[in-house]
Each structure stands twice: as structure tokens, then as C-alpha cells.
Amino acid sequence: MKNFFTTKRLCRAGIIAALYVALTYAFGAIAYQGVLQIRPAEALTILPLFFPEAAPALWIGCMLANLASPFIAFDVPLGGLFPVLVNAFVIPVVIVFLCGGDEGYASANIAYWSYFGSLCATEALWVYGLGIPLYIAIYGLRKKGVTAFCDASKKPPESEG
């Protein structure tokens, strides 16, 4: 069995975590707005399909990004799990029931399902809308043998002669 913790994989994991944090922080308050969360960093959740080290990197990136969240006490322990459904089901509980975010709604139940629908749609937008093009781009780069996206360097063809 090959060594999982190669220098390249550790560096790649660090870059993925840093990208997640940077992309989340770049959108500041609108990344944590409640009903409509603008988080293009969620597109990075497609990366574990290519790089196993991306899974812990995304968890770390999510934890670090959520340090700026107004819901930090709930985000940090719960972050990094199956992004679309978990966020859609859990975040409305945090917003509506634990933080009193049901103002302007007829009931907490209506507020919950409104947040659920919105978060499910926006999370799916980022995961699939940006994640699929990211997947296609990385797949193409790996196929071309771009070393940053491959675990084994592509050897040049041997010259005849």
C-alpha cells in the first residue's frame, strides 16, 4: 500500500482548505445571511471524487470558515457533513428554533420549511452549478497529466534511438 500522506497530498489538502475559507470569507456577511447563503466555496465539495485528501481538507476549511459565522456554536461542531441535505435540514433548525429566526413568518413551522427550501436550492446551486464545471475541468487536467492534479507524475515518452 502506498503512503497516503505524501507531500503533494498534504500540500493539496492545505490549498483546498485555504480556498474554502478564502471563498467563504470573500463573500462576507452574505455567506451567512440565513435564507439565501452565497457560498461558492461549496463547489469544492466535488473534490473528494478526485482527491481523497479533499474530504478532511474540506472539513477543516468549513470549520475555519464557520469561525466567522454568527451561528459558530452550532456550525463548528456540525460542519463538513453531506453539504446539500444536512445544511438544508439542520441550518433552519439553528436559525429558526435556536436563534429565533422565525420573525415575519406565521409560524416556526412555515419559517423552517421556507429556510429548508431556500438552503436546499442555494446549496445545490453551488455544489452542482459550480461543482460540475469544476469536476469537468479537473478531469480534463488529470487526463492531460498536469502533475498538480495527478498523484503520479506522467512520464514523458521514451525517445527512440
Side-chain angles (χ1 to χ4, degrees):
M1 184 172 140
K2 286 187 174 181
N3 185 6
F4 179 79
F5 295 105
T6 64
T7 303
K8 181 185 257 183
R9 284 183 170 186
L10 289 173
C11 290
R12 189 182 300 138
I15 291 168
I16 291 168
L19 275 173
Y20 189 96
V21 173
L23 285 170
T24 302
Y25 283 0
F27 286 85
I30 61 176
Y32 307 103
Q33 195 167 343
V35 175
L36 183 64
Q37 295 189 0
I38 310 300
R39 280 187 156 197
E42 293 299 314
L44 300 176
T45 61
I46 201 83
L47 294 178
L49 292 174
F50 292 108
F51 314 114
E53 65 274 16
L58 290 168
W59 182 79
I60 291 167
C62 185
M63 295 301 101
L64 293 173
N66 283 334
L67 292 175
S69 168
F71 309 111
I72 186 172
F74 305 102
D75 275 347
V76 172
L78 298 175
L81 304 171
F82 311 102
V84 175
L85 291 179
V86 171
N87 279 334
F89 279 107
V90 174
I91 299 303
V93 170
V94 172
I95 294 170
V96 174
F97 299 109
L98 300 176
C99 297
D102 59 349
E103 297 173 16
Y105 290 93
S107 71
N109 193 28
I110 292 171
Y112 173 84
W113 289 109
S114 296
Y115 279 105
F116 170 84
S118 175
L119 287 167
C120 192
T122 57
E123 187 76 9
L125 169 73
W126 298 118
V127 170
Y128 297 110
L130 287 178
I132 289 172
L134 180 61
Y135 176 90
I136 292 167
I138 291 173
Y139 181 80
L141 291 168
R142 286 174 65 108
K143 198 170 181 181
K144 289 179 181 177
V146 177
T147 59
F149 297 95
C150 300
D151 284 331
S153 62
K154 195 173 190 179
K155 294 180 182 174
E158 293 186 27
S159 58
E160 294 182 30

